[in-house]
């Protein structure tokens, strides 16, 4: 019986392909956001100043952020905590009463290419806060708690290998506080901020 002359080259090619497949599979690397075999951990902490509005008035909030970082290549994940408090006095009514507010919670975030001099970072805070109406003597006339979520996006500069300065914007969204003449829209809203992070990512 005469053999088809194309069969031998086809068989040889198939055998070569089968031999190459295991080698290619062994060279294939699994892709993931954080490669645990080439990852490093770090931490940071520092103050932050926010400028925004609360109940229609200009508000200044000062607070701090801190957490642990897990970095691999161009990606860094953040988990930690943050808290902010209103530092300027906001008039509540004509009787001299003031509005006070603060909030804190779990902080989670992502930094893209943290080893570059200039890079960007996004964070989300999930937590709770308190708002109070305080009389001229410093006593609480009304007091209420609320839930809060806040998303932020910032550009950061590595000033040194231990200090980052960031400038960005945030939006705060709260639940309804149980205080008359004050609703969620009065204490929610956008803000701009400057942050100082000390540590190593």
């Amino acid at each position: 019986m005469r053999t088809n002359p194309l069969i031998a080259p086809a068989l040889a090619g198939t055998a070569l392909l089968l031999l190459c497949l295991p080698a290619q599979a062994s060279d294939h690397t699994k892709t993931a956001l954080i490669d645990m075999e080439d990852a490093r951990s770090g931490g940071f902490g520092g103050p932050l100043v926010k400028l925004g509005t609360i109940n229609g008035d200009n508000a200044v909030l000062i607070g701090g952020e801190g957490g642990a970082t897990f970095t691999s290549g161009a990606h860094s994940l953040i988990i930690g905590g943050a808290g902010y408090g209103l530092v300027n006095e906001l008039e509540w009514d004509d009787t001299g009463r003031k509005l006070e507010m603060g909030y804190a919670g779990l902080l989670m975030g992502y930094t893209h290419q943290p080893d570059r001099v200039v890079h960007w970072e996004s964070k989300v805070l999930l937590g709770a806060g308190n708002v109070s109406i305080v009389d001229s003597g410093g006593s609480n006339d009304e007091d209420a708690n609320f839930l809060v979520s806040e998303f932020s996006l910032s550009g950061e500069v590595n000033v040194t290998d231990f200090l980052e300065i960031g400038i960005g914007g945030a939006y705060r969204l709260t639940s309804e506080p149980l205080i008359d003449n004050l609703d969620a829209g009065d204490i929610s809203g956008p803000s701009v901020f400057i942050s100082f992070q000390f540590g190593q990512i």
Side-chain angles (χ1 to χ4, degrees):
M1 179 184 294
R2 185 176 179 183
T3 304
N4 190 325
L6 298 178
I7 292 179
L11 291 175
T14 301
L16 182 61
L17 178 62
L18 292 174
L19 289 174
C20 290
L21 281 177
Q24 291 178 351
S26 63
D27 291 340
H28 179 71
T29 56
K30 185 178 180 181
T31 58
L33 185 62
I34 298 295
D35 181 2
M36 296 308 296
E37 295 182 356
D38 187 31
R40 68 181 189 272
S41 61
F44 73 95
L48 183 146
V49 179
K50 292 184 178 182
L51 303 176
T53 59
I54 294 175
N55 197 32
D57 293 326
N58 293 328
V60 179
L61 295 99
I62 294 180
E65 298 179 343
T69 61
F70 305 92
T71 306
S72 175
H75 310 289
S76 184
L77 301 181
I78 298 168
I79 183 166
Y84 318 100
L86 181 64
V87 295
N88 63 317
E89 294 184 342
L90 301 185
E91 298 288 341
W92 175 249
D93 55 24
D94 295 334
T95 66
R97 293 192 298 172
K98 310 291 184 182
L99 183 149
E100 296 181 350
M101 192 181 88
Y103 59 98
L106 172 69
L107 187 70
M108 296 177 289
Y110 169 77
T111 307
H112 185 63
Q113 295 183 331
D115 295 325
R116 287 194 173 182
V117 175
V118 179
H119 53 272
W120 64 269
E121 183 172 271
S122 62
K123 298 191 190 87
V124 60
L125 178 143
L126 301 173
N130 177 269
V131 60
S132 303
I133 308 302
V134 181
D135 63 23
S136 57
S139 300
N140 288 355
D141 285 349
E142 297 182 73
D143 184 87
N145 297 321
F146 56 85
L147 298 177
V148 61
S149 60
E150 185 172 55
F151 174 79
S152 66
L153 182 65
S154 62
E156 298 187 327
V157 177
N158 291 333
V159 180
T160 71
D161 60 358
F162 196 72
L163 170 63
E164 290 181 355
I165 296 178
I167 298 177
Y171 192 88
R172 180 179 61 253
L173 185 64
T174 76
S175 63
E176 293 287 345
L178 300 179
I179 292 181
D180 292 338
N181 302 317
L182 187 72
D183 60 29
D186 296 325
I187 58 176
S188 301
S191 62
V192 294
F193 64 85
I194 181 170
S195 63
F196 301 87
Q197 295 181 0
F198 299 91
Q200 291 185 331
I201 292 180

